[in-house]
Amino acid sequence: MKKVFLFVLFFLIFFTSKSFSDLQFKQSKDISDDTDDLRGIFIKPDGTRLYVTNDEDDDDQSVIEYSLTTPFDISTAVKSSETLLTIQEGGSSEVMDNPHAIEFKPDGTRMYVIRSDGTAGNTVALEQFSLSTPWDSSTITWTGRTDLQTGCTTSIQARGLDFKPDGTRVFIGNEGNDIIAQYDLTTPWDVTSMTNQFCSPSISGDETKMRNIQLSSDGNFLYVGGNTGDDINKYSLTTPYNITSISLETSYSISAQTGEMRGFIFSSNFTKLYVTGDDGSSSGDNVIYEYEIDCAGTITCLDASTNTDVKAIIEANVETAKRIIRNNTLSIFHRTEWLRRHKNRDNLSNFNAEIDFTNEKIARLVSTLESLKKEKEKDRTYNSDDWFQWSEGRVSIGERKGASSRDIHTYGISIGADRIKDEDRDTMYGYVFQYGNDNIDIGGLGITGLDTDSYSLALYGTKIRENDFFTDGIIGLTLLDTDHLRVTHGNSLKGNRQGQQIFGSINFGKRLHNQKINLNPGIKLDLGYTKLKAFREKTIFGGSLSDALVYRDQNIKTALATIGLLFDTENQQDEKTTNHHGRIEYVGDFSPSSNAEFYYLNNQSTIYDYEVTNKLKHNYRVGYGFDITSITGWSVVTSFERFGASGKGFYNEIYLMIGYVPIDDLKFTFQLNDFENASLDLTKKINELDLKISTNYDILSVVPNYNANITLSNSF
């Protein structure tokens, strides 16, 4: 029995001390010359400024601000200002009493302070201040409060304070009843809009003198500091950012440094911990203690490959590479499908007269073929030596479901030219320039994401064989330019990643003619290889690089097989021809897994690996559209398509081609301004008068927002 007891004792001592080993005391800074009653503490996410609250007597309660010449190193802290916490009380200005925990809005424009002294009849509230200069506490102005003496915050000893990263939820720690209160904010970051109070279970068995609280950046853990045990208790949350169900995991002792903790704060990346102590001794009674945490990223010591946003970013890179290949090949196949529907026309051009994207790179792309178009404006007689111009615009909106949801917005433009090889028009070949923008917002907050520009050049050909069998082929190259943004622990990290693609596609099918409907059964294979170059995250707005990641080169292979049925009908009238067309397709994704390797910038010896497996093997594509072709020279081609996987996400895509070979002094302009606004102008000269019809539509407006006008003018 004695041996068992000694073994258990050894086990507890060993593993308890191991849990503490991640937290290492580094240094302290005595600020007793600045304050007699040190309370709450906050450090700016980039580690360059530190703030403490002061509860001195004689209406001297204040916030003291320090500048750190070396970020996160308190030994370099120099007092820069001390500002009284002036509030409105009973219609007059006065200095608030009994300040405790202090917090800031991530952009530094608001400050929040807990007010409570533990005496019955005194105000217990959360006070809110605005800063006219971000992060400069000397510019604070009181803007409101919320009374905390309700529900589970009835206690007159409120102490702890923290916010959800998006400002929609606030958490209050209460020493009096050992409970954490949770509130929703109907207006983010405005504590006067607090509502919907929820209460945590009592933690009185672990801590009865709560001093502050802090949640991990992902909301999965809650840290509660107090001086009953002179430690910081770590709790796991069943649901992120919901304290109604918590369970104690471990504790981190600070008793060797102070027996009177007043506040604490982890650095934005959870690699450092700062504790305020007010021991009341002749020396060291108002001290800030700095601790280091051995592992990068978080005190939980989880590796970077378990970070939800990191995994989502890597997955989004793979999805983007596949989507760009799929969109590039599909736009070209839209052209070959249009050619088969219109093979007997004299005019095989379908080129936008004018297209204007506010993006300068797109504008240069459009102008590449503009001169070619103008040479044929008046001539509609073509032979096998002529080049036919075409263009297509694409807008796509979609979402990807899962543990980390993704909202996807893309747009693109294709500008191409092709020519007939034979007089019978059975063979055509050509080239196409393509630009696309792929924007992905990751997570519910939409502050982490990717923004990818793609530039492609492809060669293609189509051949109609005997018995109306046809073959389409594509080969192309793409350059990728991706802006990467990841927000973690309140720190914004940015990077730019370059990449290249080579892709190809082949399409086999047969055109079945019928008096009412033409059918095109077929099978298609898309193949691609993408190489994403290595890059590193960089801090923006002066944030810390402690949690920045370096990503190594990543290779992505794409293999998509499509089997389906296309159909179209033709309706000829006196001056125009209308074609209705659609598609029903199954898309099988046989792409192999892609491995991403990455490591922390400050810990290059530990390499993390995340394998992106193919989770969307079975997909579908359905679509419907129509062509209108006029004998006067203009044509419109539009289609709506939906690509998706059951229960896992989808993309809704709109394709538009508007073409014209000008005759009779009719001028046409179509504009699409960076996915936000579309306009259409038609101008015709009638008996020396200029008739102009203009329309404008806001694509992204929730409320329909469009206008039209007609102008008649004459020049003298």
Side-chain angles (χ1 to χ4, degrees):
M1 186 67 181
K2 184 177 180 181
K3 292 182 179 179
V4 173
F5 173 79
L6 292 175
F7 174 80
V8 171
L9 181 62
F10 171 80
F11 181 89
L12 292 174
I13 293 174
F14 176 78
F15 282 96
T16 302
S17 62
K18 184 177 181 180
S19 68
F20 296 159
S21 67
D22 296 324
L23 192 67
Q24 303 290 334
F25 173 69
K26 182 180 181 180
Q27 60 185 340
S28 63
K29 185 176 182 65
D30 194 328
I31 60 170
S32 300
D33 291 340
D34 302 327
T35 178
D36 292 332
D37 292 282
L38 183 59
R39 290 296 182 261
I41 183 171
F42 182 88
I43 191 165
K44 188 181 175 184
D46 65 0
T48 60
R49 298 189 187 189
L50 184 144
Y51 311 82
V52 297
T53 54
N54 164 40
D55 190 24
E56 293 187 10
D57 296 330
D58 301 324
D59 294 328
D60 288 332
Q61 292 83 356
S62 61
V63 54
I64 305 174
E65 179 179 327
Y66 296 85
S67 297
L68 283 67
T69 54
T70 301
F72 300 103
D73 184 353
I74 63 170
S75 68
T76 67
V78 177
K79 182 179 177 180
S80 55
S81 67
E82 181 174 358
T83 306
L84 294 178
L85 295 169
T86 304
I87 61 174
Q88 294 294 317
E89 189 75 45
S92 61
S93 297
E94 63 178 54
V95 178
M96 67 174 284
D97 54 0
N98 306 300
H100 290 277
I102 178 174
E103 282 284 334
F104 283 78
K105 187 179 178 182
D107 62 3
T109 60
R110 284 187 179 178
M111 184 182 79
Y112 312 87
V113 180
I114 288 288
R115 176 187 182 188
S116 173
D117 73 343
T119 303
N122 283 7
T123 300
V124 182
L126 175 54
E127 306 284 353
Q128 176 175 285
F129 302 82
S130 293
L131 288 78
S132 58
T133 301
W135 300 110
D136 184 353
S137 59
S138 67
T139 66
I140 60 173
T141 302
W142 183 82
T143 56
R145 73 164 59 86
T146 292
D147 183 37
L148 298 178
Q149 298 191 71
T150 58
C152 49
T153 56
T154 301
S155 165
I156 57 177
Q157 294 180 315
R159 294 291 185 265
L161 174 65
D162 199 11
F163 287 82
K164 190 178 178 182
D166 63 356
T168 60
R169 186 165 289 177
V170 64
F171 305 87
I172 308 294
N174 297 275
E175 178 185 345
N177 57 8
D178 309 310
I179 286 175
I180 297 95
Q182 170 185 310
Y183 299 84
D184 291 330
L185 278 66
T186 57
T187 301
W189 301 107
D190 184 0
V191 301
T192 64
S193 69
M194 289 167 53
T195 185
N196 299 331
Q197 185 188 81
F198 299 93
C199 310
S200 75
S202 174
I203 62 168
S204 58
D206 313 314
E207 183 60 65
T208 60
K209 290 186 178 181
M210 189 185 310
R211 292 295 180 251
N212 198 19
I213 60 174
Q214 188 174 350
L215 283 91
S216 61
S217 59
D218 58 7
N220 288 316
F221 300 99
L222 169 70
Y223 301 91
V224 180
N227 60 359
T228 294
D230 303 316
D231 56 14
I232 295 176
N233 301 311
K234 173 189 170 186
Y235 298 84
S236 61
L237 280 64
T238 304
T239 304
Y241 301 107
N242 188 330
I243 47 77
T244 57
S245 179
I246 62 175
S247 58
L248 180 67
E249 287 204 351
T250 189
S251 297
Y252 301 89
S253 178
I254 59 169
S255 59
Q257 285 73 52
T258 180
E260 288 292 334
M261 175 196 299
R262 295 300 179 182
F264 77 88
I265 185 75
F266 288 101
S267 63
S268 58
N269 60 8
F270 278 70
T271 59
K272 288 195 173 186
L273 170 70
Y274 304 89
V275 176
T276 54
D278 184 6
D279 292 295
S281 60
S282 58
S283 64
D285 57 342
N286 292 277
V287 179
I288 302 173
Y289 303 94
E290 178 184 326
Y291 302 81
E292 287 187 338
I293 301 162
D294 291 341
C295 57
T298 172
I299 198 171
T300 61
C301 298
L302 297 175
D303 66 71
S305 63
T306 65
N307 184 287
T308 302
D309 280 355
V310 172
K311 294 192 293 184
I313 285 174
I314 295 171
E315 292 173 358
N317 270 306
V318 175
E319 294 168 4
T320 298
K322 292 181 180 181
R323 186 163 50 250
I324 289 173
I325 291 174
R326 188 171 63 242
N327 286 334
N328 284 346
T329 60
L330 192 62
S331 292
I332 298 172
F333 286 133
H334 283 167
R335 170 61 175 174
T336 60
E337 294 163 10
W338 186 88
L339 289 171
R340 281 190 285 274
R341 295 195 297 268
H342 299 266
K343 65 172 291 196
N344 296 320
R345 292 182 61 217
D346 289 333
N347 175 23
L348 296 180
S349 286
N350 204 324
F351 191 82
N352 294 5
E354 294 183 29
I355 299 180
D356 177 24
F357 280 78
T358 56
N359 189 306
E360 294 182 359
K361 297 177 181 178
I362 309 178
R364 290 196 297 269
L365 183 62
V366 173
S367 65
T368 303
L369 293 173
E370 188 70 19
S371 59
L372 295 176
K373 172 180 73 72
K374 291 180 179 180
E375 295 177 0
K376 293 291 182 180
E377 283 185 344
K378 301 285 185 180
D379 183 8
R380 297 183 62 219
T381 303
Y382 299 95
N383 56 56
S384 61
D385 294 327
D386 290 319
W387 287 90
F388 304 93
Q389 291 81 47
W390 64 276
S391 67
E392 180 178 80
R394 167 179 53 82
V395 174
S396 175
I397 300 175
E399 64 181 38
R400 171 78 163 83
K401 299 180 180 179
S404 183
S405 61
R406 297 187 276 281
D407 292 328
I408 303 154
H409 300 82
T410 76
Y411 63 84
I413 182 172
S414 303
I415 301 174
D418 44 42
R419 63 181 294 182
I420 300 170
K421 182 179 180 180
D422 306 309
E423 290 293 343
D424 61 4
R425 299 182 177 175
D426 285 343
T427 302
M428 292 192 72
Y429 61 91
Y431 62 92
V432 58
F433 299 97
Q434 295 177 297
Y435 167 84
N437 178 268
D438 207 283
N439 189 280
I440 302 176
D441 294 330
I442 297 173
L445 302 181
I447 54 179
T448 293
L450 302 175
D451 190 353
T452 301
D453 291 320
S454 60
Y455 308 88
S456 303
L457 173 64
L459 304 177
Y460 65 92
T462 181
K463 171 71 175 178
I464 299 178
R465 304 181 182 277
E466 295 182 0
N467 299 319
D468 286 323
F469 284 97
F470 60 83
T471 303
D472 302 328
I474 302 171
I475 186 169
L477 298 171
T478 303
L479 299 179
L480 304 175
D481 185 359
T482 300
D483 288 329
H484 162 118
L485 176 63
R486 182 168 67 93
V487 180
T488 180
H489 313 116
N491 190 16
S492 296
L493 298 163
K494 188 176 182 180
N496 181 264
R497 191 171 205 177
Q498 304 292 314
Q500 300 89 34
Q501 283 184 337
I502 182 171
F503 63 92
S505 184
I506 189 166
N507 180 39
F508 300 99
K510 180 178 174 61
R511 187 163 175 82
L512 304 174
H513 297 277
N514 189 283
Q515 291 183 348
K516 295 183 178 181
I517 188 171
N518 301 310
L519 302 178
N520 296 260
I523 184 170
K524 180 177 66 171
L525 180 64
D526 295 327
L527 298 174
Y529 176 80
T530 305
K531 183 178 183 62
L532 301 179
K533 294 183 178 181
F535 83 105
R536 54 163 285 188
E537 296 175 329
K538 301 178 181 180
T539 184
I540 59 178
F541 307 124
S544 170
L545 284 173
S546 300
D547 50 357
L549 292 172
V550 179
Y551 295 80
R552 291 179 169 178
D553 290 348
Q554 183 179 356
N555 301 319
I556 304 167
K557 298 177 181 178
T558 301
L560 306 173
T562 302
I563 183 170
L565 179 68
L566 279 61
F567 59 89
D568 62 88
T569 63
E570 183 175 297
N571 180 24
Q572 292 185 344
Q573 299 177 353
D574 292 339
E575 296 185 353
K576 67 180 182 181
T577 301
T578 302
N579 295 83
H580 297 269
H581 53 87
R583 63 196 324 121
I584 302 174
E585 296 175 329
Y586 166 79
V587 183
D589 190 343
F590 303 98
S591 307
S593 299
S594 176
N595 281 76
E597 294 183 341
F598 46 99
Y599 54 87
Y600 283 107
L601 186 62
N602 65 349
N603 183 18
Q604 303 184 18
S605 61
T606 303
I607 308 299
Y608 301 101
D609 183 278
Y610 180 62
E611 182 181 17
V612 183
T613 58
N614 189 355
K615 301 176 182 178
L616 302 176
K617 295 183 178 181
H618 305 289
N619 308 273
Y620 66 88
R621 180 182 292 276
V622 296
Y624 168 79
F626 60 87
D627 309 352
I628 301 177
T629 306
S630 171
I631 64 173
T632 59
W634 63 268
S635 60
V636 176
V637 184
T638 184
S639 64
F640 171 85
E641 297 180 5
R642 185 179 182 99
F643 180 92
S646 179
K648 296 184 178 179
F650 64 89
Y651 312 105
N652 289 329
E653 299 168 330
I654 299 175
Y655 297 86
L656 177 66
M657 292 187 289
I658 304 176
Y660 186 70
V661 178
I663 56 177
D664 298 334
D665 296 317
L666 180 63
K667 296 181 179 180
F668 165 86
T669 304
F670 175 70
Q671 295 182 313
L672 180 60
N673 301 316
D674 278 354
F675 188 52
E676 295 179 355
N677 179 272
S679 63
L680 176 65
D681 295 336
L682 294 173
T683 305
K684 182 177 178 63
K685 186 173 289 293
I686 304 175
N687 296 328
E688 303 303 323
L689 297 176
D690 294 322
L691 176 65
K692 184 177 182 180
I693 302 174
S694 302
T695 64
N696 184 282
Y697 182 71
D698 288 338
I699 300 174
L700 298 182
S701 177
V702 177
V703 179
N705 184 9
Y706 56 87
N707 59 72
N709 60 76
I710 299 175
T711 305
L712 189 64
S713 61
N714 190 12
S715 300
F716 298 94

